Amino acid sequence: MPRLVLASTSPYRRDLLARLRLPFETARPETDESPLSGEAPAALATRLAAAKAAAIAQPGDDAWVIGSDQVAELDGAPLGKPGSRDRALGQLAAMAGQAVRFHTGVCIAHGDGRRLQALDTTTVRFRTLSAGEIARYVDAEQPFDCAGSFKSEGLGITLFEAIETLDPSALLGLPLIATARLLREAGFRLP
């Protein structure tokens, strides 16, 4: 079986990929995550997933590299990781009572230039939230490194009315259904 490398140091993505029970390494991709002028959120997620995989995939290396990126979209505009309490409070206040789309791109790249890609879009319907509820949530989970300022695998689930998805793992940062399909296409043996 070829080597597998996850182009991410995210503990969330690492834990997700471990569910597939394939041996893998991790590497930090050096990738500029800035959106291009006029770039749609879905296109940004797809481009960044490919860029992360390409940053680690080396010519002559037989490893397959998985890159993934998630971009939240509210009213057509991308929402990134908040990075601070104030930005998390603002993001959640803006999303309260709204439907927010989360685009999660995944790319599996090989050093010989082959690329396999997929995109998952999950819609999260936030319930109406008071400022107090938002502050209590942000203080409890401190989701500053998460697109959209929440952790759906934790207390963040209480912020929603509904999640509409074909792949429940996508919202956590790596769409495992698509990733497993791409890995099978690349020659990995999965059930």
Side-chain angles (χ1 to χ4, degrees):
M1 193 166 358
R3 260 179 60 237
L4 184 61
V5 179
L6 176 62
S8 175
T9 56
S10 162
Y12 312 111
R13 288 193 178 103
R14 185 183 61 241
D15 291 349
L16 285 166
L17 185 57
R19 291 185 191 180
L20 299 183
R21 298 184 181 182
L22 294 171
F24 67 94
E25 304 161 28
T26 60
R28 177 184 299 277
E30 296 300 325
T31 307
D32 180 359
E33 297 189 18
S34 304
L36 301 175
S37 178
E39 188 173 30
L44 175 60
T46 300
R47 179 179 61 80
L48 291 178
K52 289 176 180 181
I56 301 300
Q58 298 299 311
D61 190 349
D62 194 37
W64 282 93
V65 179
I66 300 173
S68 185
D69 198 79
Q70 184 174 78
V71 178
E73 175 185 357
L74 176 62
D75 297 328
L79 294 174
K81 297 174 185 173
S84 72
R85 181 180 188 276
D86 286 343
R87 287 181 47 103
L89 293 171
Q91 280 189 357
L92 289 169
M95 293 185 296
Q98 303 292 316
V100 181
R101 293 165 35 123
F102 288 80
H103 305 284
T104 309
V106 61
C107 177
I108 301 178
H110 193 274
D112 65 9
R114 287 181 284 170
R115 277 189 186 175
L116 304 169
Q117 291 185 264
L119 178 70
D120 178 272
T121 298
T122 295
T123 300
V124 175
R125 297 195 183 283
F126 284 81
R127 63 186 183 80
T128 301
L129 300 166
S130 71
E133 289 171 317
I134 292 170
R136 283 192 304 276
Y137 169 71
V138 169
D139 291 342
E141 271 197 327
Q142 302 180 4
F144 310 135
D145 63 343
C146 300
S149 302
F150 66 84
K151 297 177 184 181
S152 64
E153 69 276 20
L155 189 59
I157 199 74
T158 65
L159 306 175
F160 311 147
E161 286 182 356
I163 299 173
E164 299 164 7
T165 187
L166 297 176
D167 186 343
S169 62
L171 193 56
L172 304 178
L174 182 66
L176 287 182
I177 293 172
T179 300
R181 177 177 50 81
L182 297 177
L183 287 169
R184 283 191 300 272
E185 287 178 34
F188 288 85
R189 294 183 64 185
L190 290 166

